[in-house]
Amino acid sequence: MNSIAEQQRQAYEDIERIEEAIVDMMLQDLTKHRYKLIREQKISTLLEQIQSRSKFLQEIEQDESGLRRKESAGMADNKFDEFYSRLGDIREYHQRNPDILVHPPEVEYLRYKNNPEESEERERVLLAKAEEEEDIPEILDVLTFIGSEDEHRLDTMFSGEERLGRYVDLHEQHELYVNLKDSGHPTYLDYLADLHRVEAYPKRHKLLPEYMRYLDNLREYFDGYFSRAMPLFDLPKAREEAIAQFESEWAERKVIGWTTDTNALYCAACDKQFEKSTTLTAHLGSRKHQKVVARHDASSSDIKRSDSERKVAMAECIIRLYVQILGTKIRETRANVQRRQALTEEERDQEIDDEEVVFVEDKDDQQIYNPLNLPLGWDGKPIPYWLYKLHGLGVKFSCEICGNSVYRGRKAYEKHFQEARHSTNMRRLGIPNTRQFHGVATIDEAQALWERIQMDKKREVTNVDTVEEYEDSEGNVFNKKTYFDLKRQGLI
């Protein structure tokens, strides 16, 4: 077993080597988004190792057990005796294990010096040269900080919509928000655009458990996204600052969305929110409410209500901070959704195949100039304005049958009438999705047209006798019913 002084020296050496490895990785000029993200995750892991070793050194310095002081005192009294004693232990250990392999500590951190992109380029050049000379190249396996397990872990870490942390995937949270009461049923694009206005949700519904469940789900997603896509961001520090600012604003009643108390449909004694005043009135006169009031005085009810409001307001404050930090990624996500709506199925498949090409950043043009907020094309740049006007992408069409979905451009709007989503919703209304209903987007119009079609069919069946015509011997024309009536009477 190593002495405490040796363990302390080893910890200091590891910290220095880890810091050197981090510097070597940061100095590498990487262009691929995939490699940059793996580098950040590796640095985050190395920083955790530094923290663990620093904590170990701190425990040694505190020396609560007194072993370090005892060892130092023994070394001071008998310097050479302690030295030769430990030297004998080392020789005895190697005599018992003569074939043990020794791994120098510098070899472990050597792979952090090599640039993975330069290694790939050297391998590609050697392979191209070998094809020209028809010879098998001798490729050296250069170790880098990227391994096969890192590639696999990165591929399974993000969803398809997140595209390796370049965008956010809030479809599940959007579904929860749409199902809230009085949410307005915004589209996914509108939801992303107004995500920073989390306080805009009606205050009379904020104390409902569904809204708190939505906030918790949104906060959990952002916490996981920061750890996956931005591992070097100091999220705990930013969260603590936001909570401290919230506490001061809450004490002064200056929190956004909670400055005034306009919620009159809330029972503070029972901690319940109501939708209508009649329901609240009936509840106030119930026996259950009277029993709760008898058990708790008004002051405790006010404290309970204040705690519920404070919890919701703090959750909104934290989410507002997250959205502010991820503002650029959310805007890029919205632009990407708009761009993908203008692509065909073949172009989407081709984009997935060329995913790595999309992630290569152009150093000369990192910030795209897009004052008209045009959709992005397959190359990640805004499409021409004449193409934007030609396809009519500035005109939005909504379909109430499809849940108030909004389609940009006449082409996408016309195409959706034959898609499975529209056909399924039409069958739920009991209406066949035939050509007659093409262009009908509201439920009332579709139901009225279906009733008119059914009435016309019934009218055709009942008017069969009036459609057929008969002619008598004198050339007079009668319908079928009138002709046989006159013939039975002997008039013709």
Side-chain angles (χ1 to χ4, degrees):
M1 179 178 178
N2 293 332
S3 63
I4 296 178
E6 175 61 22
Q7 295 178 17
Q8 189 176 9
R9 186 206 63 80
Q10 184 65 38
Y12 278 117
E13 181 182 359
D14 291 342
I15 290 176
E16 290 180 0
R17 293 191 182 279
I18 292 174
E19 290 176 349
E20 184 179 355
I22 293 176
V23 173
D24 291 336
M25 284 192 294
M26 292 299 295
L27 291 177
Q28 295 177 9
D29 189 11
L30 301 178
T31 58
K32 292 184 178 180
H33 176 80
R34 174 185 294 268
Y35 291 165
K36 289 182 178 180
L37 187 56
I38 294 178
R39 179 175 63 181
E40 290 184 1
Q41 293 174 354
K42 286 287 185 180
I43 292 176
S44 177
T45 303
L46 294 177
L47 291 175
E48 292 177 358
Q49 295 178 11
I50 291 178
Q51 291 178 354
S52 64
R53 284 165 172 78
S54 301
K55 185 178 180 181
F56 173 71
L57 289 172
Q58 186 178 7
E59 293 175 355
I60 292 179
E61 293 292 341
Q62 292 175 356
D63 194 21
E64 296 180 356
S65 61
L67 294 177
R68 181 171 176 269
R69 289 192 299 271
K70 183 177 180 181
E71 181 180 290
S72 300
M75 294 174 63
D77 297 338
N78 302 306
K79 299 180 181 179
F80 292 101
D81 293 344
E82 183 70 20
F83 171 77
Y84 286 114
S85 174
R86 297 198 179 276
L87 180 61
D89 294 339
I90 294 174
R91 288 176 177 175
E92 182 181 356
Y93 173 80
H94 286 285
Q95 288 177 358
R96 292 197 307 266
N97 305 281
D99 298 329
I100 189 172
L101 296 177
V102 179
H103 297 280
E106 60 270 11
V107 175
E108 182 181 356
Y109 301 100
L110 186 61
R111 65 179 185 271
Y112 295 107
K113 294 180 178 292
N114 300 322
N115 190 321
E117 294 182 356
E118 294 179 356
S119 301
E120 289 182 355
E121 182 65 20
R122 284 194 298 267
E123 183 177 350
R124 187 185 64 81
V125 171
L126 289 175
L127 290 175
K129 185 178 181 180
E131 291 179 358
E132 295 177 357
E133 299 178 358
E134 297 181 357
D135 190 11
I136 299 177
E138 183 179 354
I139 300 177
L140 298 177
D141 189 10
V142 180
L143 293 178
T144 62
F145 65 87
I146 297 177
S148 58
E149 66 279 359
D150 298 323
E151 296 276 358
H152 177 71
R153 184 167 55 87
L154 188 65
D155 292 335
T156 57
M157 186 180 297
F158 298 95
S159 65
E161 292 290 334
E162 289 175 336
R163 303 294 291 277
L164 297 180
R166 192 168 187 176
Y167 307 116
V168 296
D169 183 8
L170 297 175
H171 285 87
E172 179 182 354
Q173 290 72 26
H174 170 249
E175 191 71 22
L176 291 175
Y177 185 80
V178 168
N179 291 327
L180 294 177
K181 295 181 180 179
D182 293 343
S183 62
H185 303 286
T187 62
Y188 186 58
L189 290 175
D190 296 336
Y191 174 76
L192 292 176
D194 298 335
L195 189 59
H196 64 285
R197 299 177 61 250
V198 64
E199 72 281 352
Y201 185 71
K203 186 178 179 181
R204 62 181 180 275
H205 302 316
K206 286 187 176 183
L207 298 181
L208 295 177
E210 293 81 4
Y211 182 67
M212 193 63 199
R213 194 179 305 117
Y214 158 74
L215 293 179
D216 291 339
N217 189 291
L218 187 59
R219 182 173 55 184
E220 290 176 0
Y221 171 79
F222 281 138
D223 288 337
Y225 184 83
F226 275 110
S227 62
R228 291 180 290 116
M230 303 172 62
L232 297 182
F233 183 77
D234 193 357
L235 185 61
K237 180 180 179 181
R239 190 190 299 116
E240 291 176 0
E241 294 177 354
I243 293 177
Q245 182 180 359
F246 166 78
E247 295 292 349
S248 61
E249 293 180 354
W250 181 259
E252 299 175 0
R253 294 193 174 276
K254 295 182 180 180
V255 179
I256 302 177
W258 298 87
T259 54
T260 57
D261 188 6
T262 59
N263 192 352
L265 301 179
Y266 178 79
C267 178
C270 301
D271 191 22
K272 293 183 68 175
Q273 180 71 35
F274 295 91
E275 298 297 323
K276 298 179 181 179
S277 58
T278 54
T279 309
L280 177 61
T281 304
H283 167 76
L284 296 177
S286 63
R287 294 181 179 179
K288 182 178 180 181
H289 174 74
Q290 299 298 333
K291 291 180 180 179
V292 173
V293 172
R295 288 197 305 265
H296 304 283
D297 55 1
S299 60
S300 63
S301 299
D302 293 339
I303 295 174
K304 187 176 182 181
R305 170 179 171 80
S306 178
D307 291 341
S308 301
E309 291 181 347
R310 182 179 177 277
K311 184 178 179 181
V312 176
M314 181 180 293
E316 290 181 349
C317 180
I318 295 176
I319 291 175
R320 195 181 299 112
L321 169 68
Y322 290 168
V323 174
Q324 181 181 359
I325 297 172
L326 297 175
T328 303
K329 289 186 178 292
I330 293 176
R331 288 191 295 270
E332 291 177 354
T333 301
R334 189 171 184 272
N336 181 60
V337 173
Q338 290 180 327
R339 178 182 62 84
R340 289 177 63 85
Q341 288 180 351
L343 299 180
T344 62
E345 191 67 26
E346 293 78 7
E347 291 173 338
R348 292 193 186 99
D349 296 339
Q350 183 66 26
E351 186 180 74
I352 295 176
D353 297 336
D354 300 338
E355 179 178 0
E356 189 58 51
V357 177
V358 176
F359 288 149
V360 176
E361 298 181 359
D362 188 2
K363 299 180 182 179
D364 298 333
D365 191 14
Q366 293 182 355
Q367 186 174 4
I368 300 175
Y369 181 69
N370 188 12
L372 299 179
N373 196 20
L374 300 176
L376 302 182
W378 62 270
D379 56 352
K381 297 181 180 180
I383 63 175
Y385 185 71
W386 64 267
L387 185 62
Y388 175 82
K389 298 295 289 185
L390 177 64
H391 290 285
L393 299 180
V395 183
K396 297 182 180 179
F397 300 90
S398 62
C399 179
E400 184 182 2
I401 298 176
C402 296
N404 293 323
S405 298
V406 178
Y407 300 90
R408 296 174 63 91
R410 171 65 65 175
K411 181 179 179 181
Y413 178 69
E414 295 288 345
K415 183 180 179 181
H416 101 279
F417 285 107
Q418 304 301 325
E419 293 179 350
R421 179 180 182 182
H422 187 84
S423 300
T424 302
N425 292 331
M426 289 288 288
R427 287 195 299 269
R428 290 174 180 173
L429 295 175
I431 303 173
N433 189 26
T434 59
R435 184 65 182 174
Q436 295 169 311
F437 294 92
H438 187 84
V440 179
T442 61
I443 297 177
D444 295 337
E445 292 180 359
Q447 292 177 343
L449 180 58
W450 177 237
E451 292 177 359
R452 187 162 60 251
I453 292 175
Q454 290 180 320
M455 292 177 60
D456 292 342
K457 289 183 178 179
K458 292 180 181 179
R459 193 179 300 111
E460 289 178 0
V461 174
T462 56
N463 294 339
V464 171
D465 294 338
T466 61
V467 172
E468 297 183 11
E469 295 181 346
Y470 289 81
E471 185 178 356
D472 60 2
S473 58
E474 296 180 357
N476 298 319
V477 179
F478 305 95
N479 58 45
K480 181 179 179 180
K481 185 176 183 301
T482 304
Y483 178 82
F484 282 103
D485 288 344
L486 294 176
K487 189 174 182 180
R488 281 195 297 270
Q489 294 177 10
L491 299 177
I492 55 175

